[in-house]
Amino acid sequence: GRVYICAEGLNAQVSGSTAACAEYRDFVSRGDDFADADTLATQPLLFKEDPVGELQFPKLRVKHKALVPGAPVDLAQRGEDLSPERWAAMLAADDEKRVVLDVRNSYEWDVGRFDGAERPALDHFAEFDAATYGLPDDPDERKATPVMMYCTGGIRCEYFSAKLKEEGFENVYKLQGGVQHYGNVMSVQGEQQQEEEAEAAGSAGSIGSADASAPAAAADSASAAAKGGNESDSREAEGAAAATTGDGSA
């Protein structure tokens, strides 16, 4: 796998046995010798895990490297995390002032995106700023405009949300864990809902699956959008091989 670490946080993508991934997750969560324990206690790393059939990487690389290119920002001022459930609820709400930003690469947007998110107009993320995404210049408009943003694994949003807060945007929200975490969480909920609907319909003598399939379909779209991303793609274990990712800002 590969692990990038710097003063702002950790971004890792690794593959191994179930036991090895559990040991790795425990080590990173403790932050021995590389992170402040108090910070990890209040801002725990998010692990996104999926099963794989075999090891995904031929070797392990550990580098001291910036998580996101560009000028540094004050990550203490980053936007508010939204769980997948809160994100879906906010998207479903009727809010004409709301802006939804896709902070990934353009080719990822082509694969799949959330409703209302325009195709990214930049070639390199280091170019990101409010003007690039067509956000308002007027200070009062910036204060009044709710901004929802999402990326692949959540790291770009850490930086971009902090930058927008510095530029006068007060209502900035980011999808916790990116589309990867959203896909994992919402697909499980969709499957559970389908099972419940099937059981209820079975007892009534009929099966209606249209409503039950909606959360799963949204999650499938989000998962597809995450493929090919350059932030983090984590997989955990069924049997011999597994991978796990911890990423976030410290």
Short mmCIF file of all heavy atoms in Angstrom, two decimals, residues 78-116:
data_model
loop_
_atom_site.label_atom_id
_atom_site.label_comp_id
_atom_site.label_asym_id
_atom_site.label_seq_id
_atom_site.Cartn_x
_atom_site.Cartn_y
_atom_site.Cartn_z
N ARG A 78 -11.99 24.39 9.27
CA ARG A 78 -12.65 23.67 8.18
C ARG A 78 -14.15 23.52 8.44
O ARG A 78 -14.64 23.75 9.53
CB ARG A 78 -12.00 22.30 7.97
CG ARG A 78 -11.97 21.39 9.17
CD ARG A 78 -11.10 20.17 8.82
NE ARG A 78 -11.06 19.18 9.87
CZ ARG A 78 -10.17 19.17 10.86
NH1 ARG A 78 -9.28 20.15 10.93
NH2 ARG A 78 -10.19 18.22 11.77
N GLY A 79 -14.86 23.10 7.39
CA GLY A 79 -16.31 23.02 7.45
C GLY A 79 -16.83 21.92 8.35
O GLY A 79 -16.08 21.10 8.89
N GLU A 80 -18.16 21.89 8.47
CA GLU A 80 -18.83 20.92 9.35
C GLU A 80 -19.00 19.58 8.64
O GLU A 80 -19.47 19.53 7.49
CB GLU A 80 -20.19 21.46 9.77
CG GLU A 80 -20.99 20.52 10.65
CD GLU A 80 -22.36 21.05 10.99
OE1 GLU A 80 -22.61 22.25 10.76
OE2 GLU A 80 -23.20 20.25 11.48
N ASP A 81 -18.64 18.51 9.32
CA ASP A 81 -18.83 17.17 8.77
C ASP A 81 -20.30 16.79 8.78
O ASP A 81 -21.01 17.02 9.77
CB ASP A 81 -18.06 16.13 9.60
CG ASP A 81 -16.65 15.91 9.09
OD1 ASP A 81 -16.44 16.02 7.87
OD2 ASP A 81 -15.76 15.62 9.91
N LEU A 82 -20.76 16.19 7.68
CA LEU A 82 -22.10 15.63 7.61
C LEU A 82 -21.99 14.13 7.43
O LEU A 82 -21.29 13.65 6.52
CB LEU A 82 -22.88 16.22 6.44
CG LEU A 82 -23.20 17.72 6.47
CD1 LEU A 82 -23.98 18.11 5.22
CD2 LEU A 82 -23.99 18.08 7.72
N SER A 83 -22.65 13.38 8.28
CA SER A 83 -22.71 11.92 8.09
C SER A 83 -23.45 11.64 6.78
O SER A 83 -24.18 12.51 6.26
CB SER A 83 -23.45 11.27 9.25
OG SER A 83 -24.83 11.65 9.22
N PRO A 84 -23.29 10.45 6.20
CA PRO A 84 -24.03 10.13 4.98
C PRO A 84 -25.54 10.36 5.11
O PRO A 84 -26.18 10.85 4.17
CB PRO A 84 -23.70 8.65 4.76
CG PRO A 84 -22.33 8.50 5.34
CD PRO A 84 -22.34 9.38 6.56
N GLU A 85 -26.09 10.03 6.28
CA GLU A 85 -27.53 10.22 6.48
C GLU A 85 -27.91 11.69 6.47
O GLU A 85 -28.91 12.10 5.85
CB GLU A 85 -27.95 9.57 7.81
CG GLU A 85 -27.78 8.07 7.86
CD GLU A 85 -26.38 7.64 8.29
OE1 GLU A 85 -25.48 8.52 8.42
OE2 GLU A 85 -26.17 6.44 8.49
N ARG A 86 -27.12 12.53 7.17
CA ARG A 86 -27.42 13.96 7.20
C ARG A 86 -27.20 14.59 5.82
O ARG A 86 -27.93 15.50 5.42
CB ARG A 86 -26.54 14.66 8.23
CG ARG A 86 -26.92 14.41 9.68
CD ARG A 86 -26.09 15.30 10.60
NE ARG A 86 -26.36 16.72 10.36
CZ ARG A 86 -25.53 17.71 10.72
NH1 ARG A 86 -24.37 17.43 11.30
NH2 ARG A 86 -25.85 18.97 10.48
N TRP A 87 -26.19 14.10 5.11
CA TRP A 87 -25.92 14.61 3.76
C TRP A 87 -27.12 14.33 2.85
O TRP A 87 -27.59 15.23 2.15
CB TRP A 87 -24.67 13.94 3.21
CG TRP A 87 -24.36 14.28 1.78
CD1 TRP A 87 -24.80 13.63 0.67
CD2 TRP A 87 -23.54 15.36 1.30
NE1 TRP A 87 -24.31 14.22 -0.47
CE2 TRP A 87 -23.54 15.29 -0.12
CE3 TRP A 87 -22.82 16.37 1.93
CZ2 TRP A 87 -22.83 16.19 -0.90
CZ3 TRP A 87 -22.12 17.27 1.14
CH2 TRP A 87 -22.13 17.18 -0.26
N ALA A 88 -27.63 13.12 2.89
CA ALA A 88 -28.78 12.76 2.05
C ALA A 88 -30.00 13.59 2.41
O ALA A 88 -30.74 14.03 1.53
CB ALA A 88 -29.07 11.26 2.19
N ALA A 89 -30.21 13.81 3.70
CA ALA A 89 -31.36 14.60 4.14
C ALA A 89 -31.23 16.05 3.69
O ALA A 89 -32.22 16.67 3.25
CB ALA A 89 -31.49 14.53 5.66
N MET A 90 -30.03 16.61 3.77
CA MET A 90 -29.84 17.99 3.36
C MET A 90 -30.00 18.15 1.86
O MET A 90 -30.57 19.14 1.38
CB MET A 90 -28.46 18.50 3.80
CG MET A 90 -28.26 19.99 3.59
SD MET A 90 -26.70 20.65 4.29
CE MET A 90 -27.13 20.62 6.04
N LEU A 91 -29.53 17.16 1.10
CA LEU A 91 -29.72 17.21 -0.35
C LEU A 91 -31.20 17.14 -0.72
O LEU A 91 -31.64 17.74 -1.70
CB LEU A 91 -28.97 16.04 -1.02
CG LEU A 91 -27.50 16.22 -1.34
CD1 LEU A 91 -26.98 14.99 -2.06
CD2 LEU A 91 -27.24 17.47 -2.17
N ALA A 92 -31.96 16.38 0.06
CA ALA A 92 -33.38 16.20 -0.24
C ALA A 92 -34.19 17.44 0.11
O ALA A 92 -35.31 17.61 -0.40
CB ALA A 92 -33.92 14.99 0.51
N ALA A 93 -33.65 18.29 0.99
CA ALA A 93 -34.38 19.49 1.41
C ALA A 93 -34.42 20.51 0.27
O ALA A 93 -33.51 20.59 -0.56
CB ALA A 93 -33.72 20.10 2.64
N ASP A 94 -35.48 21.29 0.23
CA ASP A 94 -35.64 22.31 -0.82
C ASP A 94 -34.94 23.59 -0.38
O ASP A 94 -35.42 24.30 0.50
CB ASP A 94 -37.14 22.56 -1.05
CG ASP A 94 -37.38 23.51 -2.21
OD1 ASP A 94 -36.44 23.74 -3.00
OD2 ASP A 94 -38.51 24.03 -2.33
N ASP A 95 -33.80 23.88 -0.99
CA ASP A 95 -33.03 25.07 -0.63
C ASP A 95 -32.41 25.64 -1.90
O ASP A 95 -31.40 25.14 -2.41
CB ASP A 95 -31.94 24.72 0.39
CG ASP A 95 -31.22 25.96 0.90
OD1 ASP A 95 -31.42 27.04 0.33
OD2 ASP A 95 -30.45 25.83 1.87
N GLU A 96 -33.02 26.68 -2.43
CA GLU A 96 -32.55 27.27 -3.69
C GLU A 96 -31.19 27.94 -3.56
O GLU A 96 -30.47 28.09 -4.53
CB GLU A 96 -33.58 28.27 -4.20
CG GLU A 96 -34.92 27.64 -4.59
CD GLU A 96 -35.89 28.67 -5.13
OE1 GLU A 96 -35.53 29.88 -5.13
OE2 GLU A 96 -36.99 28.28 -5.55
N LYS A 97 -30.84 28.38 -2.35
CA LYS A 97 -29.57 29.07 -2.15
C LYS A 97 -28.39 28.11 -2.05
O LYS A 97 -27.24 28.51 -2.20
CB LYS A 97 -29.63 29.93 -0.88
CG LYS A 97 -30.60 31.09 -0.96
CD LYS A 97 -30.54 31.93 0.30
CE LYS A 97 -31.47 33.12 0.23
NZ LYS A 97 -31.41 33.93 1.47
N ARG A 98 -28.66 26.85 -1.79
CA ARG A 98 -27.60 25.88 -1.55
C ARG A 98 -26.77 25.64 -2.82
O ARG A 98 -27.29 25.58 -3.93
CB ARG A 98 -28.23 24.56 -1.10
CG ARG A 98 -27.23 23.44 -0.86
CD ARG A 98 -27.99 22.14 -0.62
NE ARG A 98 -28.77 21.74 -1.78
CZ ARG A 98 -29.94 21.11 -1.71
NH1 ARG A 98 -30.47 20.84 -0.53
NH2 ARG A 98 -30.59 20.78 -2.81
N VAL A 99 -25.46 25.46 -2.62
CA VAL A 99 -24.55 25.13 -3.71
C VAL A 99 -23.89 23.79 -3.37
O VAL A 99 -23.41 23.59 -2.26
CB VAL A 99 -23.47 26.21 -3.89
CG1 VAL A 99 -22.48 25.80 -4.98
CG2 VAL A 99 -24.11 27.55 -4.24
N VAL A 100 -23.89 22.87 -4.34
CA VAL A 100 -23.24 21.57 -4.16
C VAL A 100 -21.99 21.53 -5.02
O VAL A 100 -22.05 21.74 -6.23
CB VAL A 100 -24.19 20.41 -4.54
CG1 VAL A 100 -23.50 19.06 -4.32
CG2 VAL A 100 -25.47 20.48 -3.73
N LEU A 101 -20.85 21.27 -4.39
CA LEU A 101 -19.57 21.26 -5.10
C LEU A 101 -18.99 19.85 -5.15
O LEU A 101 -18.91 19.17 -4.13
CB LEU A 101 -18.56 22.18 -4.40
CG LEU A 101 -18.92 23.66 -4.28
CD1 LEU A 101 -17.75 24.41 -3.64
CD2 LEU A 101 -19.27 24.26 -5.63
N ASP A 102 -18.56 19.45 -6.32
CA ASP A 102 -17.81 18.21 -6.51
C ASP A 102 -16.34 18.61 -6.56
O ASP A 102 -15.89 19.29 -7.48
CB ASP A 102 -18.22 17.54 -7.81
CG ASP A 102 -17.63 16.15 -7.98
OD1 ASP A 102 -16.45 15.95 -7.59
OD2 ASP A 102 -18.32 15.26 -8.49
N VAL A 103 -15.57 18.21 -5.53
CA VAL A 103 -14.18 18.66 -5.41
C VAL A 103 -13.22 17.57 -5.89
O VAL A 103 -12.05 17.56 -5.50
CB VAL A 103 -13.88 19.07 -3.95
CG1 VAL A 103 -12.58 19.85 -3.84
CG2 VAL A 103 -15.00 19.95 -3.40
N ARG A 104 -13.70 16.67 -6.73
CA ARG A 104 -12.85 15.59 -7.25
C ARG A 104 -12.29 15.98 -8.62
O ARG A 104 -12.38 17.12 -9.05
CB ARG A 104 -13.67 14.30 -7.36
CG ARG A 104 -14.28 13.84 -6.04
CD ARG A 104 -15.22 12.67 -6.25
NE ARG A 104 -16.29 13.05 -7.16
CZ ARG A 104 -17.01 12.20 -7.89
NH1 ARG A 104 -16.76 10.91 -7.81
NH2 ARG A 104 -17.99 12.62 -8.68
N ASN A 105 -11.71 15.01 -9.29
CA ASN A 105 -11.23 15.21 -10.65
C ASN A 105 -12.41 15.14 -11.63
O ASN A 105 -13.43 14.49 -11.36
CB ASN A 105 -10.20 14.15 -11.02
CG ASN A 105 -8.97 14.22 -10.15
OD1 ASN A 105 -8.34 15.26 -10.03
ND2 ASN A 105 -8.63 13.11 -9.51
N SER A 106 -12.24 15.78 -12.77
CA SER A 106 -13.33 15.83 -13.75
C SER A 106 -13.76 14.44 -14.21
O SER A 106 -14.95 14.17 -14.39
CB SER A 106 -12.90 16.66 -14.96
OG SER A 106 -12.62 17.99 -14.59
N TYR A 107 -12.80 13.54 -14.41
CA TYR A 107 -13.16 12.21 -14.90
C TYR A 107 -13.98 11.43 -13.88
O TYR A 107 -14.76 10.55 -14.24
CB TYR A 107 -11.91 11.42 -15.33
CG TYR A 107 -10.95 11.08 -14.21
CD1 TYR A 107 -11.16 9.96 -13.40
CD2 TYR A 107 -9.83 11.86 -13.97
CE1 TYR A 107 -10.27 9.65 -12.38
CE2 TYR A 107 -8.94 11.56 -12.96
CZ TYR A 107 -9.17 10.45 -12.16
OH TYR A 107 -8.29 10.13 -11.15
N GLU A 108 -13.80 11.74 -12.59
CA GLU A 108 -14.61 11.07 -11.58
C GLU A 108 -16.05 11.58 -11.63
O GLU A 108 -17.00 10.82 -11.44
CB GLU A 108 -14.01 11.31 -10.20
CG GLU A 108 -12.65 10.65 -10.02
CD GLU A 108 -12.03 11.00 -8.67
OE1 GLU A 108 -11.47 12.11 -8.54
OE2 GLU A 108 -12.10 10.16 -7.76
N TRP A 109 -16.21 12.88 -11.88
CA TRP A 109 -17.55 13.45 -12.05
C TRP A 109 -18.26 12.78 -13.22
O TRP A 109 -19.47 12.53 -13.17
CB TRP A 109 -17.44 14.96 -12.29
CG TRP A 109 -18.75 15.69 -12.39
CD1 TRP A 109 -19.42 16.33 -11.39
CD2 TRP A 109 -19.53 15.87 -13.58
NE1 TRP A 109 -20.57 16.90 -11.87
CE2 TRP A 109 -20.67 16.63 -13.22
CE3 TRP A 109 -19.39 15.47 -14.91
CZ2 TRP A 109 -21.66 16.99 -14.13
CZ3 TRP A 109 -20.37 15.82 -15.82
CH2 TRP A 109 -21.49 16.58 -15.43
N ASP A 110 -17.50 12.48 -14.29
CA ASP A 110 -18.09 11.84 -15.46
C ASP A 110 -18.67 10.48 -15.13
O ASP A 110 -19.66 10.04 -15.73
CB ASP A 110 -17.04 11.68 -16.57
CG ASP A 110 -16.58 13.02 -17.13
OD1 ASP A 110 -17.34 14.01 -17.01
OD2 ASP A 110 -15.46 13.08 -17.67
N VAL A 111 -18.08 9.78 -14.17
CA VAL A 111 -18.54 8.45 -13.80
C VAL A 111 -19.82 8.52 -12.97
O VAL A 111 -20.74 7.72 -13.15
CB VAL A 111 -17.44 7.69 -13.01
CG1 VAL A 111 -17.95 6.34 -12.52
CG2 VAL A 111 -16.21 7.50 -13.89
N GLY A 112 -19.91 9.47 -12.07
CA GLY A 112 -21.09 9.60 -11.22
C GLY A 112 -20.96 10.79 -10.30
O GLY A 112 -19.86 11.19 -9.96
N ARG A 113 -22.10 11.40 -9.92
CA ARG A 113 -22.07 12.59 -9.05
C ARG A 113 -23.43 12.76 -8.39
O ARG A 113 -24.41 12.11 -8.78
CB ARG A 113 -21.73 13.86 -9.82
CG ARG A 113 -22.71 14.22 -10.93
CD ARG A 113 -22.34 13.56 -12.23
NE ARG A 113 -23.24 13.92 -13.31
CZ ARG A 113 -23.18 13.31 -14.51
NH1 ARG A 113 -22.30 12.35 -14.73
NH2 ARG A 113 -24.02 13.68 -15.45
N PHE A 114 -23.46 13.64 -7.40
CA PHE A 114 -24.72 13.97 -6.75
C PHE A 114 -25.45 15.03 -7.57
O PHE A 114 -24.83 15.85 -8.26
CB PHE A 114 -24.45 14.52 -5.34
CG PHE A 114 -24.02 13.47 -4.35
CD1 PHE A 114 -22.70 13.37 -3.97
CD2 PHE A 114 -24.94 12.58 -3.82
CE1 PHE A 114 -22.29 12.42 -3.05
CE2 PHE A 114 -24.55 11.62 -2.90
CZ PHE A 114 -23.22 11.53 -2.52
N ASP A 115 -26.78 15.01 -7.48
CA ASP A 115 -27.59 15.99 -8.20
C ASP A 115 -27.21 17.40 -7.79
O ASP A 115 -27.02 17.70 -6.61
CB ASP A 115 -29.08 15.77 -7.90
CG ASP A 115 -29.63 14.52 -8.57
OD1 ASP A 115 -28.98 14.02 -9.50
OD2 ASP A 115 -30.70 14.05 -8.15
N GLY A 116 -27.09 18.27 -8.78
CA GLY A 116 -26.80 19.67 -8.52
C GLY A 116 -25.34 20.03 -8.56
O GLY A 116 -24.99 21.22 -8.56
#
